[in-house]
Amino acid sequence: MSSNHDPPSKESPSHRFGTLAVHAGQSPEPTTGAIMPPVFQTSTYVQPELGRHTGYEYARVQNPTREALERNVAGLEGGKHGIAFASGLAAIEAIVKLLSAGDHVVSEENTYGGTHRMFTKVLSRLGINFTFVDSRDSDQIRDAMRPETRLVHLETPTNPMMRLCDIQEAASIAHEGDALLCVDNTFASPYNQRPLDLGADLSVHSSTKYLNGHSDIIGGVMALNDDDLSERIHFVRKSSGAVPGPMDCWLCLRGTKTLHLRMEAHNRNGERVARFLQKHPKVEEAHYPGLESHPQHELAARQMKGYSGMVAVEMGSKERAKAFVEGTRLFSLAESLGGVESLIGIPAIMTHASVPPDRRAALGVTDGLVRLSVGIEDPDDLLEDLEGALESV
Ligand SMILES: *Cc1c(COP(=O)(O)O)cnc(C)c1O
């Protein structure tokens, strides 16, 4: 299921990020020389004789378009293996399915809402136990570890509060206790943060967001180094079946080719928007890891190369937040993030509506909190749009 089906490609692991983004895992298609990996839209492959096949038997198990995407993302994350899924949640679920009833997971408490829902409403029913911690404080991870802890699942930065955890320290805590460390790297992207380099065993993504970057697919992917772990996850995927279609893999691969260019623009625009909103008299507080006022800015500077385009601001009340998000023209009112276009929303009413109100309050996800996914448009137009919307607050 790895790269041995393909001729050697041009990139070497020593190449820099932008070169890997364009070339990693891809080589001209051998029959025609097509420079773009074709969309292998097929469910099965013809076998030349009984008992002998080409390496490709059935598309749930092998698909060349999917494998090209997997090698590309592995290259960007500095990992040996990439494994793609039908969604980000399917990728995270496959990791937890390595565990058995009675095993224990330590999870960051402020993960993506869907991850929290899957852990508490689906997987815990099957006998897997979860403890939720504030992983900004590594001691909370350490204290939650049990002899049967097999996985530590973190997300950094978190959605929507932009909380960080120290990946290096979390890795040493997980490994002392014979557990794997998985980091949801969706908000940072491998351009800004590479969890495997910091000791994580798995870096997982909703490729729906920055990796694909064009808001036109749902997908998930993970990167990892360990051969045995990769085999076990491939086994879960082929047994459970949450594979992405070849067209979605092709679109995502087209997205990752420009990841470095897009992330530079997201980082630049995100920082400008965060600084603008932080200073604006109608905004109470801005949350962005790149601001010196962020309580974990020092950690952000140490473990991230850039701070991406995700910004959250406290407007003080639901009414003020509503006026702000309904007053923009360029920023569209929508869920999701990480696309080229700018989006705005109120997490408490949209993405985090399923989180109980008392938990939301404890996390700081108030009804007045507005989240922005800053796109790659001209930043002057974005600031003008925000200024205009804030006039109506
Ligand atoms: C969107 C998201 C997910 C879930 O991914 P899907 O592709 O929607 O299944 C998981 N983690 C984070 C941080 C996300 O933003």
PDB file of all heavy atoms in Angstrom, residues 286-300:
ATOM      1  N   ALA A 286      -8.841  40.079  21.599  1.00  0.00           N
ATOM      2  CA  ALA A 286      -8.537  39.282  20.409  1.00  0.00           C
ATOM      3  C   ALA A 286      -7.682  38.090  20.811  1.00  0.00           C
ATOM      4  O   ALA A 286      -6.761  38.221  21.620  1.00  0.00           O
ATOM      5  CB  ALA A 286      -7.805  40.129  19.375  1.00  0.00           C
ATOM      6  N   HIS A 287      -8.028  36.901  20.262  1.00  0.00           N
ATOM      7  CA  HIS A 287      -7.254  35.690  20.532  1.00  0.00           C
ATOM      8  C   HIS A 287      -6.529  35.283  19.251  1.00  0.00           C
ATOM      9  O   HIS A 287      -7.174  34.906  18.259  1.00  0.00           O
ATOM     10  CB  HIS A 287      -8.172  34.541  20.960  1.00  0.00           C
ATOM     11  CG  HIS A 287      -9.049  34.874  22.127  1.00  0.00           C
ATOM     12  ND1 HIS A 287      -8.612  34.853  23.426  1.00  0.00           N
ATOM     13  CD2 HIS A 287     -10.359  35.244  22.171  1.00  0.00           C
ATOM     14  CE1 HIS A 287      -9.608  35.185  24.241  1.00  0.00           C
ATOM     15  NE2 HIS A 287     -10.679  35.430  23.496  1.00  0.00           N
ATOM     16  N   TYR A 288      -5.206  35.338  19.263  1.00  0.00           N
ATOM     17  CA  TYR A 288      -4.401  34.944  18.100  1.00  0.00           C
ATOM     18  C   TYR A 288      -2.999  34.631  18.619  1.00  0.00           C
ATOM     19  O   TYR A 288      -2.395  35.474  19.299  1.00  0.00           O
ATOM     20  CB  TYR A 288      -4.370  36.099  17.085  1.00  0.00           C
ATOM     21  CG  TYR A 288      -3.656  35.785  15.794  1.00  0.00           C
ATOM     22  CD1 TYR A 288      -4.229  34.923  14.851  1.00  0.00           C
ATOM     23  CD2 TYR A 288      -2.412  36.343  15.506  1.00  0.00           C
ATOM     24  CE1 TYR A 288      -3.582  34.634  13.663  1.00  0.00           C
ATOM     25  CE2 TYR A 288      -1.761  36.054  14.307  1.00  0.00           C
ATOM     26  CZ  TYR A 288      -2.348  35.199  13.395  1.00  0.00           C
ATOM     27  OH  TYR A 288      -1.707  34.904  12.219  1.00  0.00           O
ATOM     28  N   PRO A 289      -2.497  33.435  18.316  1.00  0.00           N
ATOM     29  CA  PRO A 289      -1.199  33.034  18.910  1.00  0.00           C
ATOM     30  C   PRO A 289      -0.050  33.961  18.518  1.00  0.00           C
ATOM     31  O   PRO A 289       0.962  34.006  19.216  1.00  0.00           O
ATOM     32  CB  PRO A 289      -0.965  31.619  18.357  1.00  0.00           C
ATOM     33  CG  PRO A 289      -2.256  31.174  17.784  1.00  0.00           C
ATOM     34  CD  PRO A 289      -3.079  32.376  17.471  1.00  0.00           C
ATOM     35  N   GLY A 290      -0.217  34.700  17.417  1.00  0.00           N
ATOM     36  CA  GLY A 290       0.851  35.582  16.958  1.00  0.00           C
ATOM     37  C   GLY A 290       0.891  36.921  17.679  1.00  0.00           C
ATOM     38  O   GLY A 290       1.828  37.709  17.484  1.00  0.00           O
ATOM     39  N   LEU A 291      -0.110  37.215  18.514  1.00  0.00           N
ATOM     40  CA  LEU A 291      -0.106  38.475  19.266  1.00  0.00           C
ATOM     41  C   LEU A 291       0.745  38.316  20.528  1.00  0.00           C
ATOM     42  O   LEU A 291       0.641  37.296  21.221  1.00  0.00           O
ATOM     43  CB  LEU A 291      -1.535  38.860  19.665  1.00  0.00           C
ATOM     44  CG  LEU A 291      -2.498  39.213  18.535  1.00  0.00           C
ATOM     45  CD1 LEU A 291      -3.907  39.449  19.101  1.00  0.00           C
ATOM     46  CD2 LEU A 291      -2.019  40.433  17.753  1.00  0.00           C
ATOM     47  N   GLU A 292       1.519  39.334  20.840  1.00  0.00           N
ATOM     48  CA  GLU A 292       2.357  39.283  22.047  1.00  0.00           C
ATOM     49  C   GLU A 292       1.475  39.137  23.290  1.00  0.00           C
ATOM     50  O   GLU A 292       1.919  38.628  24.324  1.00  0.00           O
ATOM     51  CB  GLU A 292       3.214  40.554  22.172  1.00  0.00           C
ATOM     52  CG  GLU A 292       4.274  40.713  21.072  1.00  0.00           C
ATOM     53  CD  GLU A 292       3.694  41.109  19.715  1.00  0.00           C
ATOM     54  OE1 GLU A 292       2.514  41.535  19.651  1.00  0.00           O
ATOM     55  OE2 GLU A 292       4.426  40.979  18.705  1.00  0.00           O
ATOM     56  N   SER A 293       0.214  39.595  23.198  1.00  0.00           N
ATOM     57  CA  SER A 293      -0.689  39.513  24.349  1.00  0.00           C
ATOM     58  C   SER A 293      -1.245  38.098  24.561  1.00  0.00           C
ATOM     59  O   SER A 293      -1.854  37.815  25.586  1.00  0.00           O
ATOM     60  CB  SER A 293      -1.859  40.472  24.137  1.00  0.00           C
ATOM     61  OG  SER A 293      -2.564  40.105  22.952  1.00  0.00           O
ATOM     62  N   HIS A 294      -1.059  37.199  23.580  1.00  0.00           N
ATOM     63  CA  HIS A 294      -1.540  35.818  23.768  1.00  0.00           C
ATOM     64  C   HIS A 294      -0.749  35.191  24.913  1.00  0.00           C
ATOM     65  O   HIS A 294       0.482  35.235  24.912  1.00  0.00           O
ATOM     66  CB  HIS A 294      -1.361  35.016  22.477  1.00  0.00           C
ATOM     67  CG  HIS A 294      -2.000  33.659  22.509  1.00  0.00           C
ATOM     68  ND1 HIS A 294      -1.471  32.606  23.221  1.00  0.00           N
ATOM     69  CD2 HIS A 294      -3.131  33.180  21.928  1.00  0.00           C
ATOM     70  CE1 HIS A 294      -2.246  31.537  23.077  1.00  0.00           C
ATOM     71  NE2 HIS A 294      -3.263  31.861  22.296  1.00  0.00           N
ATOM     72  N   PRO A 295      -1.466  34.597  25.901  1.00  0.00           N
ATOM     73  CA  PRO A 295      -0.757  34.088  27.085  1.00  0.00           C
ATOM     74  C   PRO A 295       0.301  33.029  26.778  1.00  0.00           C
ATOM     75  O   PRO A 295       1.188  32.794  27.586  1.00  0.00           O
ATOM     76  CB  PRO A 295      -1.874  33.498  27.957  1.00  0.00           C
ATOM     77  CG  PRO A 295      -3.151  33.680  27.226  1.00  0.00           C
ATOM     78  CD  PRO A 295      -2.927  34.462  25.989  1.00  0.00           C
ATOM     79  N   GLN A 296       0.194  32.388  25.601  1.00  0.00           N
ATOM     80  CA  GLN A 296       1.187  31.360  25.258  1.00  0.00           C
ATOM     81  C   GLN A 296       1.999  31.764  24.023  1.00  0.00           C
ATOM     82  O   GLN A 296       2.470  30.904  23.270  1.00  0.00           O
ATOM     83  CB  GLN A 296       0.488  30.030  25.007  1.00  0.00           C
ATOM     84  CG  GLN A 296      -0.178  29.451  26.249  1.00  0.00           C
ATOM     85  CD  GLN A 296      -1.041  28.280  25.868  1.00  0.00           C
ATOM     86  OE1 GLN A 296      -2.094  28.439  25.242  1.00  0.00           O
ATOM     87  NE2 GLN A 296      -0.607  27.088  26.218  1.00  0.00           N
ATOM     88  N   HIS A 297       2.172  33.060  23.843  1.00  0.00           N
ATOM     89  CA  HIS A 297       2.880  33.526  22.646  1.00  0.00           C
ATOM     90  C   HIS A 297       4.303  32.973  22.567  1.00  0.00           C
ATOM     91  O   HIS A 297       4.792  32.639  21.483  1.00  0.00           O
ATOM     92  CB  HIS A 297       2.905  35.060  22.605  1.00  0.00           C
ATOM     93  CG  HIS A 297       3.656  35.589  21.421  1.00  0.00           C
ATOM     94  ND1 HIS A 297       3.225  35.396  20.120  1.00  0.00           N
ATOM     95  CD2 HIS A 297       4.812  36.281  21.330  1.00  0.00           C
ATOM     96  CE1 HIS A 297       4.088  35.953  19.287  1.00  0.00           C
ATOM     97  NE2 HIS A 297       5.069  36.489  19.993  1.00  0.00           N
ATOM     98  N   GLU A 298       4.936  32.839  23.707  1.00  0.00           N
ATOM     99  CA  GLU A 298       6.322  32.344  23.724  1.00  0.00           C
ATOM    100  C   GLU A 298       6.376  30.898  23.191  1.00  0.00           C
ATOM    101  O   GLU A 298       7.219  30.555  22.362  1.00  0.00           O
ATOM    102  CB  GLU A 298       6.869  32.463  25.151  1.00  0.00           C
ATOM    103  CG  GLU A 298       8.339  32.115  25.317  1.00  0.00           C
ATOM    104  CD  GLU A 298       8.567  30.630  25.600  1.00  0.00           C
ATOM    105  OE1 GLU A 298       7.725  30.001  26.259  1.00  0.00           O
ATOM    106  OE2 GLU A 298       9.593  30.121  25.122  1.00  0.00           O
ATOM    107  N   LEU A 299       5.421  30.068  23.632  1.00  0.00           N
ATOM    108  CA  LEU A 299       5.336  28.681  23.136  1.00  0.00           C
ATOM    109  C   LEU A 299       5.009  28.676  21.639  1.00  0.00           C
ATOM    110  O   LEU A 299       5.594  27.910  20.866  1.00  0.00           O
ATOM    111  CB  LEU A 299       4.266  27.903  23.917  1.00  0.00           C
ATOM    112  CG  LEU A 299       3.919  26.507  23.385  1.00  0.00           C
ATOM    113  CD1 LEU A 299       5.134  25.581  23.401  1.00  0.00           C
ATOM    114  CD2 LEU A 299       2.769  25.886  24.190  1.00  0.00           C
ATOM    115  N   ALA A 300       4.086  29.551  21.236  1.00  0.00           N
ATOM    116  CA  ALA A 300       3.717  29.639  19.815  1.00  0.00           C
ATOM    117  C   ALA A 300       4.953  29.941  18.978  1.00  0.00           C
ATOM    118  O   ALA A 300       5.205  29.297  17.956  1.00  0.00           O
ATOM    119  CB  ALA A 300       2.647  30.710  19.610  1.00  0.00           C
TER     120      ALA A 300
END
